[in-house]
Amino acid sequence: MEEMGLRERKKQRMYQDVSDIAVRLFLERGFDAVSVAEVAAAAGISKPTLFRYFPAKEDLVLHRIADHETEAARLVAGAADPVDALRRNFLAGLRRRDPVTGLSDHPEVLAFHTLLYGTPALVARAYGHLERSEAALARALGGDLEARLAAGQIVAVQRILAQENWRRIAAGEGVGEVAPDAVRAAERAFARLAAGLPERFGGQLS
């Protein structure tokens, strides 16, 4: 078991190292200006090896957010009030300035988000990540049509809140200025979700 654990750790380290190298090159020269072969060479691996880890060039960037794909599903598993569990988690993320909430002015985070949202191929690929996150959440909520509709609304709310925070900070507003509005917006958005979803998801309407 220890050997398997070591092998898995080495694999994850490889994912992280190659992704970090790729993102650095993309930030320096632009996503479209850097080839997969150049990333592989910089990482000291072959192109076929790189593709075994990352099926598409875009995955080199999206690896950084891949661990959030099933986060919502994990949070609601067994929760008596799924919407409130997600609300509290999002607010906690705002308090700690988690990049996934968009409320971060760290230069590397801003540069990464600019790369992500400013590259059409990455935006398109990111929607696949959102779809998988939505599907996982829907399964955790029960998997039926009501669950799929609820998951779609929840994922959309979290995405739009985070993008609004990033947009304001990228435009030059300070985190301290944006944070109070971000908290109020999140509270309003989740309250509206709760009011409009069936009671089984923590909503107020049946």
Side-chain angles (χ1 to χ4, degrees), residues 19-97:
S19 175
D20 286 347
I21 290 167
V23 169
R24 175 176 55 79
L25 290 173
F26 296 151
L27 289 175
E28 289 173 355
R29 296 163 47 195
F31 182 79
D32 294 327
V34 179
S35 69
V36 171
E38 289 175 292
V39 174
I45 59 176
S46 68
K47 188 175 175 180
T49 296
L50 185 147
F51 275 125
R52 283 202 296 272
Y53 285 91
F54 301 94
K57 181 181 177 182
E58 292 80 8
D59 294 332
L60 289 160
V61 177
L62 294 176
H63 172 72
R64 289 198 175 182
I65 62 173
D67 60 337
H68 291 288
E69 197 167 284
T70 58
E71 181 179 31
R74 293 194 304 268
L75 285 166
V76 305
D81 189 332
V83 171
D84 189 57
L86 292 167
R87 179 190 67 83
R88 287 185 283 106
N89 181 68
F90 194 88
L91 291 172
L94 291 175
R95 286 193 297 271
R96 65 177 181 268
R97 307 298 191 250

Side-chain angles (χ1 to χ4, degrees), residues 72-122:
R74 293 194 304 268
L75 285 166
V76 305
D81 189 332
V83 171
D84 189 57
L86 292 167
R87 179 190 67 83
R88 287 185 283 106
N89 181 68
F90 194 88
L91 291 172
L94 291 175
R95 286 193 297 271
R96 65 177 181 268
R97 307 298 191 250
D98 190 327
V100 78
T101 67
L103 192 64
S104 174
D105 61 357
H106 191 286
E108 289 185 7
V109 173
L110 288 175
F112 177 80
H113 283 157
T114 299
L115 172 68
L116 176 61
Y117 295 130
T119 307
L122 292 174

Side-chain angles (χ1 to χ4, degrees), residues 120-187:
L122 292 174
V123 172
R125 191 76 171 179
Y127 271 98
H129 161 82
L130 290 172
E131 287 175 351
R132 291 187 295 274
S133 179
E134 183 181 310
L137 177 57
R139 289 192 295 272
L141 292 173
D144 57 8
L145 178 59
E146 273 193 345
R148 296 197 302 275
L149 290 169
Q153 293 175 68
I154 291 165
V155 169
V157 162
Q158 295 187 140
R159 173 181 60 82
I160 293 168
L161 287 171
Q163 285 184 339
E164 175 64 9
N165 295 336
W166 169 77
R167 183 194 65 77
R168 290 182 60 182
I169 292 171
E173 294 186 61
V175 166
E177 182 181 0
V178 176
D181 290 341
V183 170
R184 285 191 291 268
E187 290 281 22

Side-chain angles (χ1 to χ4, degrees), residues 186-199:
E187 290 281 22
R188 286 196 304 270
F190 279 98
R192 288 168 183 162
L193 269 178
L197 293 176
E199 287 183 356

